[in-house]
Amino acid sequence: MDITTSAEPPAAPTGATARPGDRIFLGLSRGSGILLLVIMAAIAVFLTVRAAHALSQDHGNFLTTFEWNANAEPPVFGIAVLAFGTVVSSLIAMLLAVPVAIGIALFISHYAPRRLAAPLSYVIDLLAAVPSIVYGLWGALFLVPHLGGLYSWLDDWFGWTGVLAYHDGAARSLFTIGILLAIMILPIVTSVSREVFLQAPKMHEEAALALGATRWEVIRMSVLPFGRSGVISASMLGLGRALGETMAVATVLSPSFLISKSLLDPGGGTFAQNIASSFKESGETGKDALIASLRNLASHASYPLTPHVCVNRQSVGRMIMPRAARMRSHGI
């Protein structure tokens, strides 16, 4: 006689059987989500209306004009220089910061002794909370005066490319902005990557060590494949900050509406820096033009956020599931 029975989990209370607290929480949660969508839609409509008003009065090509005279009669403005400066400085920051951040995260999670890893993690988390203006002042007062030697070295070895040619002058260029942004996003990418690497299955690592793998082979075969999605998520989060950084860029960069062949020449600009520098003296049309560029910046920033949200679901799930399993094992 088969006496085996399958225990089915109790169904979640719904409708009239739900407790009043559950119904209140459900209503508040649903209302908050709907309110957030309504606010985002209202912001999008406001930006679109104001941007359309400015674009209707623009006597230049908004995408290709190398000029920003929104207060002139007639107004002429375009985002070619701003788009170039924003993208180039952000790419330089990502190329410099992401490899270093991954190395630091691996060192903290798998190489450093615990008495060193804990305070080092606290310091990195603290750097992520430093205000942008502090980085900007540090960049203007310390970083810019000390980059002349690096620029001369780059010109000696790579100046023949034209992209890294240095013609003397202050180092207030897009390359300097890229270095500053890399320093700013380094703590963010490091913190998220470290947390993802710490969630790598210990059984996989111990099995690889038991088979004779070295420490680096364990990381290459077990940790990095597990944390790939989390590293991508951290990188997109850092890219989002680099694209929208304002005060640090405005403090260091020497803006001009010219695109230089060399990244070491002063000049250029970014969307956020132009908005911060021009908003106070702009008239009605000038403010609408800045809003048009802001809408363009928002569309640029949404590109890294989309894969970040999709990829981060897997990373967060990996971090939550082990903790939920431990809570269930303790009857919580």
Side-chain angles (χ1 to χ4, degrees), residues 18-198:
R19 291 177 295 181
D22 294 335
R23 292 197 297 269
I24 294 175
F25 181 76
L26 176 62
L28 291 176
S29 301
R30 184 176 297 168
S32 299
I34 295 174
L35 179 62
L36 177 61
L37 294 177
V38 170
I39 293 175
M40 293 178 63
I43 293 175
V45 170
F46 170 78
L47 294 179
T48 301
V49 171
R50 296 293 295 269
H53 177 262
L55 295 178
S56 64
Q57 303 185 35
D58 187 11
H59 282 64
N61 189 305
F62 184 67
L63 298 178
T64 60
T65 299
F66 284 54
E67 186 179 356
W68 192 273
N69 287 321
N71 296 318
E73 291 294 339
V76 179
F77 53 89
I79 62 170
V81 176
L82 304 179
F84 176 81
T86 301
V87 173
V88 168
S89 60
S90 299
L91 288 179
I92 293 174
M94 295 296 292
L95 290 174
L96 295 177
V98 172
V100 177
I102 294 174
I104 297 175
L106 288 174
F107 173 76
I108 294 175
S109 61
H110 288 81
Y111 284 96
R114 183 173 300 179
R115 65 179 62 184
L116 176 61
L120 190 57
S121 300
Y122 296 148
V123 171
I124 292 175
D125 293 340
L126 182 62
L127 289 176
V130 174
S132 300
I133 188 62
V134 175
Y135 282 108
L137 292 174
W138 175 82
L141 299 177
F142 179 83
L143 185 62
V144 170
H146 290 82
L147 281 180
L150 174 62
Y151 276 25
S152 298
W153 182 84
L154 291 174
D155 180 62
D156 292 339
W157 288 92
F158 305 103
W160 56 272
T161 64
V163 179
L164 296 176
Y166 181 46
H167 306 101
D168 297 326
R172 295 180 175 271
S173 62
L174 291 177
F175 193 81
T176 302
I177 296 301
I179 296 176
L180 183 62
L181 291 176
I183 297 173
M184 295 181 66
I185 69 176
L186 183 64
I188 299 175
V189 182
T190 301
S191 298
V192 178
S193 300
R194 180 194 69 224
E195 293 299 323
V196 173
F197 291 151
L198 287 173

Side-chain angles (χ1 to χ4, degrees), residues 111 204-223:
Y111 284 96
H204 293 182
E205 299 181 29
E206 293 171 358
L209 289 172
L211 292 174
T214 62
R215 181 64 63 87
W216 166 242
E217 289 173 338
V218 171
I219 292 175
R220 181 170 58 86
M221 294 186 297
S222 301
V223 179

Side-chain angles (χ1 to χ4, degrees), residues 280-327:
K280 184 177 180 180
E281 60 207 26
S282 297
E284 191 66 24
T285 302
K287 291 180 180 178
D288 289 347
L290 293 175
I291 289 175
S293 68
L294 174 62
R295 191 178 187 281
N296 191 276
L297 173 61
S299 64
H300 278 77
S302 65
Y303 295 145
L305 289 180
T306 301
H308 165 69
V309 172
C310 297
V311 172
N312 202 36
R313 291 171 60 188
Q314 183 179 4
S315 304
V316 172
R318 287 175 173 174
M319 290 185 284
I320 291 177
M321 291 304 294
R323 299 177 184 177
R326 289 195 298 268
M327 292 175 66

